[in-house]
């Protein structure tokens, strides 16, 4: 799923320059941009790079303190979406050096993950996978099962994109097994659907539908509570899921069910829903 996020550049810069005066460590939360494969056009990337210049220049001068590492991590987290390769690699090297010298494992893992995402955006898949593995290995060192599960999912998605569907299936199975112990993590919403896609590649439509229905159960459980996803993200995720369910029902030759799923999917569309998605749903 891809979406285009609008950012107020001035506020981004101000936030990054002043971030974390009191925070003492890297916040280790699910990265929603990574989860939903955010994509920006080149004009956006270049504008963001220009806006980030003051924050990047400041980050490159910071000493190796706890708060400064958080600031560097925050800047690198935004810089990964730009085409400023010189600044990105310079700051990522600094982040890795600082993290290693102070045994700051979460900063180190974040840096590796950011580099992996940077390469993913450039469609350099082997380098992406390499840095995702490095990030996961750091999480293994600190015993962070939730982050290990997340990295298994991102590797699974990458393998699927490379056409390695059986390998992807193994990875996504690992992710689902680990993350079942973390009911507030949103990745199982997408991981169940990725497993379904893997199964569709070998024409196991019935089993694929089971995983999509499991994703639907998880989303419906969260719909009134929004403890896992906020309402806008959840509504968009549901519209996409119903589209996928409609497709699977069609493959199973249950055409009336396919139409019904498509109709339900339309009830979750709004002004933020991509036109192409609405068009596909209406085609049923």
């Amino acid at each position: 799923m891809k979406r285009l996020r609008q950012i107020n550049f001035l506020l981004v810069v101000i936030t990054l320059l002043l971030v974390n005066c009191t925070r003492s460590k890297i916040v280790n939360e699910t990265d929603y941009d990574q989860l939903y494969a955010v994509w920006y056009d080149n004009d956006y990337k270049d504008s963001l790079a220009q806006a980030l210049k003051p924050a990047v220049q400041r980050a490159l001068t910071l000493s190796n303190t706890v708060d400064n590492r958080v600031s560097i991590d925050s800047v690198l987290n935004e810089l990964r979406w730009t085409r400023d390769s010189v600044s990105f690699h310079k700051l990522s090297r600094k982040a890795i050096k600082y993290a290693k010298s102070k045994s700051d494992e979460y900063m180190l893992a974040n840096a590796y993950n950011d580099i992996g995402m940077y390469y993913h955006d450039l469609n350099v898949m082997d380098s992406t996978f390499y840095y995702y593995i490095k990030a996961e290995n750091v999480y293994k060192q600190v015993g962070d099962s939730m982050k290990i599960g997340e990295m298994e999912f991102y590797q699974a998605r990458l393998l699927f994109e490379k056409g390695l569907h059986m390998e992807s299936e193994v990875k996504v199975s690992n992710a689902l097994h680990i993350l079942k112990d973390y009911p507030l993590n949103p990745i199982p919403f997408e991981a169940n659907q990725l497993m379904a896609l893997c199964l569709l590649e070998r024409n196991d439509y019935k089993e694929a539908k089971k995983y999509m229905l499991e994703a639907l159960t998880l989303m419906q459980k969260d719909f009134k509570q929004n403890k896992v996803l906020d309402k806008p993200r959840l509504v968009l995720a549901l519209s996409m899921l119903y589209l996928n369910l409609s497709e699977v029902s069609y493959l199973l030759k249950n055409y009336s069910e396919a139409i019904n799923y498509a109709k339900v999917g339309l009830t979750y569309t709004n002004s933020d829903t991509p036109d192409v998605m609405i068009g596909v749903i209406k085609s049923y």
Side-chain angles (χ1 to χ4, degrees):
M1 185 182 302
K2 293 185 178 180
R3 58 192 176 85
L4 183 61
R5 185 182 59 179
Q6 299 296 321
I7 290 183
N8 183 312
F9 296 130
L10 179 60
L11 290 179
V12 169
V13 173
I14 292 174
T15 300
L16 293 177
L17 287 173
L18 302 178
V19 71
N20 296 312
C21 293
T22 58
R23 241 166 50 181
S24 60
K25 62 181 180 179
I26 304 295
V27 175
N28 191 31
E29 299 175 342
T30 299
D31 189 327
Y32 290 102
D33 284 351
Q34 185 174 16
L35 175 58
Y36 290 110
V38 69
W39 177 86
Y40 304 120
D41 61 30
N42 288 339
D43 288 341
Y44 177 93
K45 293 176 181 179
D46 294 342
S47 296
L48 180 59
Q50 187 64 33
L52 288 172
K53 280 185 179 294
V56 172
Q57 291 171 1
R58 179 177 182 274
L60 289 170
T61 67
L62 294 175
S63 58
N64 194 0
T65 67
V66 172
D67 288 340
N68 285 346
R69 289 198 299 278
V70 175
S71 295
I72 292 169
D73 179 80
S74 298
V75 177
L76 191 63
N77 189 260
E78 292 293 338
L79 194 59
R80 65 187 177 177
W81 299 118
T82 74
R83 295 194 296 171
D84 185 355
S85 61
V86 174
S87 295
F88 179 81
H89 288 301
K90 188 180 294 186
L91 189 59
S92 63
R93 287 194 296 269
K94 184 184 184 78
I96 291 170
K97 178 181 177 181
Y98 275 16
K100 286 183 175 180
S101 68
K102 296 296 184 179
S103 298
D104 190 337
E105 288 85 0
Y106 281 102
M107 182 186 187
L108 181 60
N110 283 355
Y112 287 148
N113 188 52
D114 284 339
I115 297 171
M117 292 180 67
Y118 185 82
Y119 281 120
H120 194 190
D121 199 47
L122 295 174
N123 203 35
V124 184
M125 298 303 196
D126 290 343
S127 294
T128 304
F129 195 78
Y130 172 77
Y131 281 101
Y132 280 177
I133 290 290
K134 287 179 74 71
E136 182 180 2
N137 286 339
V138 176
Y139 291 130
K140 286 179 178 178
Q141 291 175 15
V142 298
D144 191 328
S145 297
M146 188 184 78
K147 298 303 291 186
I148 292 170
E150 290 188 356
M151 295 312 303
E152 287 283 305
F153 168 73
Y154 295 132
Q155 292 164 39
R157 188 168 65 186
L158 185 65
L159 289 167
F160 187 88
E161 292 173 4
K162 288 170 65 70
L164 300 172
H165 303 127
M166 292 298 293
E167 293 84 350
S168 176
E169 188 175 329
V170 172
K171 286 285 187 179
V172 76
S173 178
N174 292 342
L176 286 169
H177 177 72
I178 294 169
L179 294 175
K180 69 180 181 358
D181 295 328
Y182 300 91
L184 297 183
N185 191 291
I187 282 183
F189 291 0
E190 300 300 316
N192 276 288
Q193 293 183 81
L194 179 56
M195 177 63 86
L197 293 177
C198 291
L199 293 166
L200 287 176
E201 289 295 327
R202 49 190 177 93
N203 300 324
D204 193 347
Y205 305 142
K206 289 185 178 179
E207 195 66 18
K209 185 179 178 182
K210 289 181 182 178
Y211 278 95
M212 288 191 181
L213 289 175
E214 175 61 23
L216 179 60
T217 297
L218 293 173
M219 290 185 195
Q220 288 176 331
K221 182 179 179 181
D222 190 49
F223 191 73
K224 292 183 179 179
Q225 301 175 337
N226 295 122
K227 291 183 177 180
V228 181
L229 286 182
D230 60 36
K231 188 58 66 70
R233 285 193 180 102
L234 186 55
V235 166
L236 185 59
L238 278 164
S239 64
M240 188 65 189
L241 175 57
Y242 276 110
L243 172 60
N244 289 335
L245 278 167
S246 182
E247 178 69 17
V248 173
S249 295
Y250 181 84
L251 292 171
L252 288 168
K253 301 186 185 304
N254 193 336
Y255 302 121
S256 60
E257 186 176 69
I259 292 171
N260 288 334
Y261 278 134
K263 287 180 178 178
V264 175
L266 279 173
T267 67
Y268 288 99
T269 60
N270 53 42
S271 59
D272 294 325
T273 306
D275 291 338
V276 65
M277 185 185 299
I278 295 175
V280 172
I281 294 173
K282 285 183 176 179
S283 69
Y284 287 91

